[in-house]
Amino acid sequence: MSVELWTWIIVLLTFGLYVGIGIWARVRETEGFYVAGRGVPPIANGMATAADWMSAASFISMAGLISSLGYDGTIYLMGWTGGYVLLALLLAPYLRKFGKFTVPDFVGDRYYSQTARIVAVVAAIFVSFTYVIPQLVGVGTVFARYLGVPSITGLWIGVAVTALFAVLGGMKGITWTQVAQYTVLIIAYLIPAFAIASILTGNPIPQLALTFSDITTRLNQLQVDLGFTQYTQPFQRFDMLNILLITACLMFGTAGLPHVIIRFYTVPTVKDARASAGWALLFIALLYTTAPAISVFARYNLINTLHGKSFEEVRQIDWVAKWEKTGLLRFVDKDNNGIVTIAKGNAFKFIPGTTRPDVNNPDTASANEVFINNDIIVLSTPEVAKLAPLIIALVAAGGLAAALSTASGLLIVISSALSHDLYYRIINPRATESQRLLIARIGILLAVLIAGYFGQNPPGFIAQLVAFAFGLAASSFFPTILLGIFDKRTTREGAIAGMIVGLVFTASYIIGTSYFGMPRWFLGVSPEGIGTVGMVLNFVITYFVSRMTPEPPKEVQDLVESVRIPRGAKDAHYH
């Protein structure tokens, strides 16, 4: 059967499974909707956390970024993985012991302030929306290539499926759907990796194939022959300062992402929170230790498949013709010799404010004649390696699973921020269980429709959206949560001032430099790394303002002390 037919079959089966789980897991109480009734076993929560955390950025984009950037691309690998370790060790167990539903819930009660709660709600919604848009764009990309459906139509199909299982099952439905999605995405990632490792090196284990074969040496030489620097040469895209700041921003941003944090509220005990963090790290490692190998294999195969071939020959390759239709793969014969040249530089100039090529405006400053969007590198790798159509279809289903799992987790954050933190805790504290559940479901529906609109009409700086999300999370939530747990002297005035300054500084810098063309006025720091500076500002301002304002009430200080107690007969719940 064709790739497209296999993809339709697998996508219909997996989407049917996700919707079926949502119907089976439908909930009738808010605790089930927000935190899955706090009854998720650690191993299942570990799988759900891994799926929640490994978004389309991890599955589709990360290996593509490493493949494109070489050594410098490993900032994403180090940053995202290190951030999860920070979250698991520094935050997750203590937040679980606090026993709340959401991150703004923790902020509002720990800092004894509705103003602090509102600032946290705004930050949670802003971070979640900026992160959910690229997930839906990824869904549209997969549909456009493998199912012959326009990307906008595919995006709305993904919106509809996500809305159905999220609205019905809330966090309970999302959790068990994410268990299924993790299973799909990890199988889809590993099978082609094993196959390509065996073909290129004779060793079927990707990690060993990368480490103990000469594939990296061959790629380095190939790069040099084409005028690039060696693939493993450091500091080509970013200088040392930006490497440090971007990696730190991704780490602290990961640790502050509200949709990952709330996963640890769904297990029965603090012990289970620690156990699920360990399981999640294992499940994440399966993909993250494979990504560098996939990156090398993909770049090696792409260069060998395209460079030096005639345009006529290349365009007769099935996967080339199909990806070219999506606009994510483009060619231009600059020297009119009919031969494809891959070289350093851009094939086309980019449309201002975007990462899309202007196909009517070749970049004559370079000899490069091929534009390859980073997001297609993983998705196209099985086709480039001529693997079976079933495996290619699995990769497409895996990309969809990664995008939908993270999108659903982000939507529950937006919904709970609106329904629990804003409506119930501030507007109508006397709301009944059924009223709160109705508002929560309406919140998810509104959130998914708004996210779908922005996915269909993304801002001009779409390439910076993921950096935006992580920068905002690092500069707002991470310092506030960390000090809230480990410094009982931190006051509401300090927390509010720190969050606002961190958010405003980071957001204005990213928007100014990415969208309005402002210079990188702070030491040349890139928008991807400025969240680290915003985080430091947050820490400093929170600390000094807290020391200049009256200390928190005794009951709040006692609460902080109790949350840090490592063992106890029972977990604390402060509702």
Side-chain angles (χ1 to χ4, degrees):
M1 290 191 292
S2 68
V3 170
E4 289 74 17
L5 184 55
W6 269 119
T7 305
W8 271 112
I9 291 171
I10 294 175
V11 167
L12 288 173
L13 286 173
T14 53
F15 275 27
L17 175 63
Y18 305 154
V19 173
I21 291 172
I23 294 171
W24 164 78
R26 60 189 182 277
V27 294
R28 294 180 175 84
E29 73 286 333
T30 51
E31 189 169 53
F33 194 91
Y34 294 134
V35 290
R38 303 196 197 274
V40 181
I43 189 169
N45 196 55
M47 295 178 76
T49 303
D52 207 356
W53 184 68
M54 289 190 296
S55 62
S58 290
F59 189 98
I60 297 175
S61 300
M62 183 178 66
L65 284 166
I66 299 173
S67 185
S68 166
L69 298 176
Y71 176 97
D72 291 359
T74 57
I75 57 177
Y76 298 97
L77 191 71
M78 294 184 294
W80 286 333
T81 309
Y84 180 78
V85 175
L86 277 179
L87 171 62
L89 295 179
L90 281 181
L91 306 183
Y94 305 103
L95 289 173
R96 173 60 191 89
K97 190 166 185 184
F98 197 87
K100 287 295 178 179
F101 283 162
T102 67
V103 174
D105 227 4
F106 168 83
V107 172
D109 284 10
R110 162 59 183 87
Y111 293 109
Y112 49 99
S113 167
Q114 296 291 56
T115 303
R117 186 188 304 276
I118 291 172
V119 173
V121 166
V122 171
I125 292 174
F126 204 16
V127 168
S128 299
F129 265 124
T130 54
Y131 200 31
V132 78
I133 293 169
Q135 313 310 318
L136 297 178
V137 172
V139 170
T141 299
V142 174
F143 268 94
R145 162 59 190 90
Y146 290 104
L147 298 175
V149 174
S151 60
I152 291 175
T153 305
L155 181 150
W156 284 107
I157 293 172
V159 165
V161 171
T162 305
L164 189 56
F165 68 73
V167 167
L168 285 174
M171 180 57 89
K172 183 179 178 184
I174 287 170
T175 296
W176 292 106
T177 302
Q178 286 174 335
V179 170
Q181 287 164 336
Y182 175 78
T183 305
V184 172
L185 75 86
I186 201 64
I187 290 172
Y189 206 84
L190 293 181
I191 288 178
F194 290 149
I196 299 169
S198 183
I199 292 168
L200 289 180
T201 70
N203 187 332
I205 309 300
Q207 295 86 342
L208 299 180
L210 178 65
T211 306
F212 297 110
S213 76
D214 66 344
I215 185 67
T216 307
T217 304
R218 282 186 276 160
L219 178 57
N220 276 338
Q221 187 58 53
L222 191 59
Q223 294 248 128
V224 171
D225 292 344
L226 296 178
F228 296 93
T229 54
Q230 289 191 354
Y231 182 79
T232 53
Q233 182 75 25
F235 310 124
Q236 297 302 302
R237 170 68 182 275
F238 303 110
D239 58 28
M240 191 178 295
L241 175 63
N242 274 299
I243 288 280
L244 174 64
L245 292 180
I246 295 171
T247 304
C249 182
L250 294 172
M251 287 178 65
F252 298 120
T254 296
L257 285 176
H259 75 288
V260 179
I261 290 173
I262 62 172
R263 284 248 50 94
F264 296 99
Y265 293 152
T266 64
V267 292
T269 67
V270 174
K271 181 180 178 183
D272 290 331
R274 295 182 187 276
S276 65
W279 281 112
L281 195 56
L282 172 63
F283 294 134
I284 289 167
L286 290 175
L287 189 146
Y288 268 59
T289 57
T290 307
I294 285 279
S295 306
V296 170
F297 301 157
R299 186 160 183 85
Y300 185 83
N301 274 337
L302 276 170
I303 291 175
N304 279 320
T305 301
L306 300 177
H307 180 74
K309 308 292 195 302
S310 71
F311 280 94
E312 182 181 358
E313 179 186 358
V314 164
R315 287 198 166 102
Q316 289 176 353
I317 300 173
D318 185 58
W319 67 267
V320 170
K322 290 173 179 174
W323 276 113
E324 201 171 4
K325 287 179 182 177
T326 68
L328 301 176
L329 178 66
R330 293 284 190 174
F331 299 92
V332 56
D333 190 1
K334 293 180 182 178
D335 52 13
N336 295 312
N337 68 350
I339 303 297
V340 176
T341 299
I342 294 178
K344 190 172 183 179
N346 298 320
F348 301 93
K349 294 181 180 178
F350 291 111
I351 297 171
T354 76
T355 55
R356 297 192 298 275
D358 183 350
V359 295
N360 298 313
N361 193 3
D363 188 345
T364 55
S366 80
N368 184 35
E369 298 178 329
V370 184
F371 165 77
I372 303 173
N373 187 292
N374 289 334
D375 288 349
I376 79 168
I377 289 177
V378 169
L379 294 173
S380 68
T381 292
E383 296 177 288
V384 180
K386 301 178 181 178
L387 300 185
L390 174 59
I391 296 176
I392 297 169
L394 268 176
V395 172
L400 289 172
L404 294 181
S405 62
T406 300
S408 61
L410 293 163
L411 291 171
I412 202 75
V413 168
I414 297 169
S415 169
S416 59
L418 292 173
S419 60
H420 178 73
D421 295 301
L422 196 60
Y423 177 72
Y424 174 60
R425 297 303 299 270
I426 296 174
I427 297 173
N428 184 12
R430 296 184 178 181
T432 64
E433 189 85 0
S434 59
Q435 286 175 323
R436 293 161 61 193
L437 200 56
L438 176 63
I439 294 296
R441 286 184 163 135
I442 292 173
I444 278 195
L445 198 56
L446 286 175
V448 77
L449 291 174
I450 294 170
Y453 171 79
F454 281 108
Q456 179 180 327
N457 304 282
F461 48 94
I462 184 66
Q464 279 74 39
L465 278 175
V466 171
F468 208 162
F470 281 88
L472 293 178
S475 61
S476 59
F477 283 129
F478 182 75
T480 305
I481 295 172
L482 190 69
L483 290 173
I485 293 170
F486 293 103
D487 179 25
K488 63 183 182 180
R489 183 64 180 80
T490 302
T491 66
R492 62 186 175 190
E493 294 85 358
I496 293 168
M499 281 194 291
I500 290 174
V501 170
L503 274 172
V504 171
F505 172 81
T506 304
S508 59
Y509 190 94
I510 294 175
I511 293 172
T513 56
S514 301
Y515 193 62
F516 291 108
M518 289 173 57
R520 299 177 179 181
W521 54 268
F522 189 86
L523 303 177
V525 175
S526 74
E528 294 91 342
I530 198 65
T532 303
V533 181
M535 180 198 69
V536 173
L537 280 175
N538 187 336
F539 268 121
V540 170
I541 288 171
T542 302
Y543 182 85
F544 283 106
V545 172
S546 293
R547 267 59 189 177
M548 293 187 293
T549 50
E551 63 181 31
K554 185 177 186 304
E555 60 269 20
V556 171
Q557 297 190 47
D558 291 343
L559 168 59
V560 175
E561 289 282 1
S562 69
V563 166
R564 294 207 303 265
I565 297 172
R567 288 187 176 88
K570 295 181 179 179
D571 291 337
H573 293 274
Y574 301 93
H575 291 300

